[in-house]
Amino acid sequence: MSRLKSKLPGSGTTIFTVMSQMALEHGAINLSQGFPDFDGPALLRERVSYHLEHGHNQYAPMPGLPELKNQIALKISALYGRDVDPIDEITVTPGATEAIFCAVSVVVQPGDEVIVFDPSYDTYAPSVILNGGVTRHIPMVYPDFRIDWGRVKDTINPRTRLIILNTPHNPSATIWRQEDIDALRELVTGTGIYLLSDEVYEHIVFDGQPHLSLLRFPELAERTFAVYSFGKTYHATGWRIGYCVAPRSLMAEFVRIHQFINFSTNTPMQYALADYMRDGSAHHLELGAFYQQKRDLFVQLMAESRFRLNKAAGTFFQLADYSEISDEADVEFAGRMTREHKVAVIPVSVFYEQPPKQRVIRFCFAKGDDTLRQAAERLVAL
Ligand code: GLN
C-alpha cells in the first residue's frame, strides 16, 4: 500500500476540541470552545419533540424544508431589506461549517487565491486548501483589529477569487463599520471577486450598533455567499443547523455540491424552527441584549483582575490581554490556566498564519451568571 499523503498536513486537531478536552480532563470551567451552557427556548424544543413523534424522521428536501426557507426569507427581508427567493437562493445546511466549505468549493479552483483576515476562524483556510486554493492572510492586530484596506488592495491580483469575511468577528469580538463596507465595495466593484460572509453572530451585537450584513448592500450581495447559524441564535450548537443565502446562479452551484456532501439537513429540527419562526418569536431580536448583559457582568467581574479587557462589540466572546500576569506564549498560558487555575480559554495566536507579538486569550461568556462568577473568582486571584 502506498503511504497516505495528508491533504491537510499543517492541521492538527482543532483548538476547540483540544481545549474542551483539556477542560474535561482537568475539571476546569470551560470558557474555551464557544457554546452556551443553557438551553434554547422551551417552545422550540417542544416543537422538536412534537415532530420527532409525528413522523418527521425521514430525509428532508435536499436544499431545505420549504416552510423553513420561507421563514428565513421573511426574516432576511425584515432585517436586511433584501428580497431573497426562498426556493433558489437559500439552502439549509448541517451547520454553518458545511455552508462555508460548499461556498468555497463553488468558486475556488486550483491555484486561485483567497483573502482571509487573521485571526481567522479555523475552518476557512482548510476549506480553501482542500479545494486546491491558496490563502493570502492579512493580519488584524489587537486591540482594534481594524482591517488595513490598503493592504487588501495590494494583495488583490488577477488570481484573487474570493474574500472571506466575518462580522461580528470571532475571535476578536469586533464588528464591521460602514467604512469597512465602503472600502470593500470600492475594491471589488468591477472585479470577478466573490465574497463569503460569515455572519453566524448576526444577532449578537452590542451597544445599539447595527449588524452590517452584506445582504443590505445590493452591489455586494450580488457576489456574496452569506452564512448563518441557528445553533448560535437558538443556543443549540449541537443541532448542527445553519443556512446559506446567495444569488440564484451561485446557489445553483452551491446546491450541486451540497447534495453530494450531506444531501440534506435533519428533518425534525427544520420543522420545529419553521414553526417557531412562523409564530413570530422575538427571540432573535432579544439576543443582543441578552448577551450584552452577560458581557457586562463578565467585564465588571474581571475589573478587579490583572487581565486587560476591551469590551466585546459583538459575539459571545471576550478577549483579554494577560501581559501583566505572565510573559508566556498564549498556548502555554491557556494550558496552564486550564490545568492549574481550572478555567479553560482559547489562545488567539492559533488563528494567525504569523502570530503577532501579543498576549491575548479568548473567553466565551455564553454561560450561566453563576458560572461566570465562579470563573471570575478564579481569574481575579491570578
Ligand atoms: N465556533 C466555536 C468557537 O469559536 C467552535 C466551533 C467548533 O468547536 N467547531 O468557539
Side-chain angles (χ1 to χ4, degrees):
M1 230 162 64
S2 64
R3 257 190 81 192
L4 187 64
K5 189 169 166 232
S6 174
K7 290 193 174 179
L8 291 174
S11 299
T13 302
T14 106
I15 190 70
F16 307 116
T17 299
V18 169
M19 294 313 301
S20 274
Q21 222 165 325
M22 203 187 287
L24 206 62
E25 263 164 47
H26 294 275
I29 299 174
N30 189 1
L31 303 189
S32 64
Q33 189 179 26
F35 61 89
D37 69 351
F38 39 82
D39 279 331
L43 184 59
L44 174 60
R45 288 181 287 119
E46 182 276 313
R47 294 318 292 162
V48 173
S49 309
Y50 176 87
H51 289 291
L52 275 170
E53 294 305 330
H54 287 77
H56 287 141
N57 297 302
Q58 309 309 328
Y59 296 124
M62 181 273 280
L65 190 73
E67 293 89 322
L68 179 57
K69 299 210 296 173
N70 286 338
Q71 291 306 315
I72 294 170
L74 289 171
K75 175 174 159 178
I76 289 169
S77 166
L79 291 180
Y80 306 132
R82 184 169 178 82
D83 286 327
V84 169
D85 178 349
I87 298 175
D88 290 335
E89 298 185 315
I90 297 172
T91 299
V92 180
T93 58
T97 298
E98 196 232 42
I100 290 167
F101 186 81
C102 287
V104 170
S105 301
V106 170
V107 297
V108 174
Q109 302 278 346
D112 283 349
E113 291 188 8
V114 177
I115 293 178
V116 298
F117 299 104
D118 285 356
S120 55
Y121 188 58
D122 76 343
T123 69
Y124 302 159
S127 301
V128 172
I129 293 163
L130 288 171
N131 281 287
V134 178
T135 46
R136 301 290 305 270
H137 294 253
I138 296 185
M140 303 187 293
V141 182
Y142 180 88
D144 296 328
F145 294 99
R146 299 318 322 168
I147 292 175
D148 179 346
W149 288 103
R151 194 151 168 186
V152 180
K153 186 172 181 200
D154 293 343
T155 306
I156 289 177
N157 69 71
R159 286 186 306 279
T160 309
R161 177 72 51 228
L162 177 69
I163 302 177
I164 303 182
L165 41 103
N166 170 217
T167 184
H169 183 260
N170 177 12
S172 76
T174 57
I175 56 174
W176 274 37
R177 304 171 184 161
Q178 185 60 42
E179 66 212 54
D180 295 308
I181 297 285
D182 295 341
L184 178 69
R185 184 167 26 205
E186 204 175 307
L187 287 183
V188 299
T189 301
T191 71
I193 298 173
Y194 295 99
L195 303 170
L196 169 49
S197 187
D198 173 351
E199 301 183 14
V200 299
Y201 300 98
E202 63 180 323
H203 302 302
I204 313 178
V205 181
F206 308 135
D207 306 316
Q209 295 300 309
H211 165 56
L212 296 183
S213 170
L214 261 52
L215 298 182
R216 290 177 188 263
F217 308 99
E219 320 86 300
L220 295 176
E222 68 183 18
R223 59 180 76 232
T224 295
F225 298 86
V227 172
Y228 299 94
S229 162
F230 287 119
K232 305 290 184 295
T233 299
Y234 295 110
H235 312 317
T237 59
W239 288 6
R240 309 304 300 131
I241 180 164
Y243 55 97
C244 181
V245 179
R248 194 175 308 267
S249 59
L250 302 184
M251 192 45 87
E253 214 40 48
F254 181 101
V255 167
R256 204 192 291 250
I257 294 173
H258 159 79
Q259 68 182 338
F260 295 126
I261 295 186
N262 272 287
F263 181 67
S264 63
T265 303
N266 85 72
T267 305
M269 268 72 166
Q270 291 197 67
Y271 275 101
L273 284 161
D275 288 353
Y276 190 75
M277 290 171 79
R278 189 176 43 240
D279 291 346
S281 151
H283 171 91
H284 62 287
L285 301 175
E286 291 158 2
L287 203 60
F290 172 79
Y291 276 120
Q292 183 168 327
Q293 176 269 328
K294 294 204 175 287
R295 176 203 66 175
D296 289 344
L297 172 66
F298 188 62
V299 169
Q300 180 214 322
L301 292 166
M302 292 288 282
E304 288 165 41
S305 77
R306 289 194 294 159
F307 289 93
R308 254 180 317 180
L309 277 58
N310 287 319
K311 276 189 172 184
T315 77
F316 44 52
F317 302 117
Q318 174 64 55
L319 294 190
D321 178 308
Y322 61 88
S323 38
E324 279 178 39
I325 298 170
S326 164
D327 52 17
E328 282 161 292
D330 61 359
V331 175
E332 279 76 55
F333 184 69
R336 203 162 59 79
M337 290 255 303
T338 311
R339 289 189 308 272
E340 294 176 16
H341 303 289
K342 308 292 181 204
V343 180
V345 297
I346 295 285
V348 172
S349 68
V350 302
F351 302 109
Y352 285 90
E353 183 188 44
Q354 286 173 335
K357 291 211 175 339
Q358 61 187 25
R359 290 198 273 277
V360 180
I361 51 167
R362 190 195 80 174
F363 295 101
C364 171
F365 57 78
K367 307 293 166 190
D369 291 355
D370 286 344
T371 306
L372 293 177
R373 282 196 191 92
Q374 206 187 343
E377 210 170 285
R378 297 177 190 182
L379 297 165
V380 165
L382 283 177

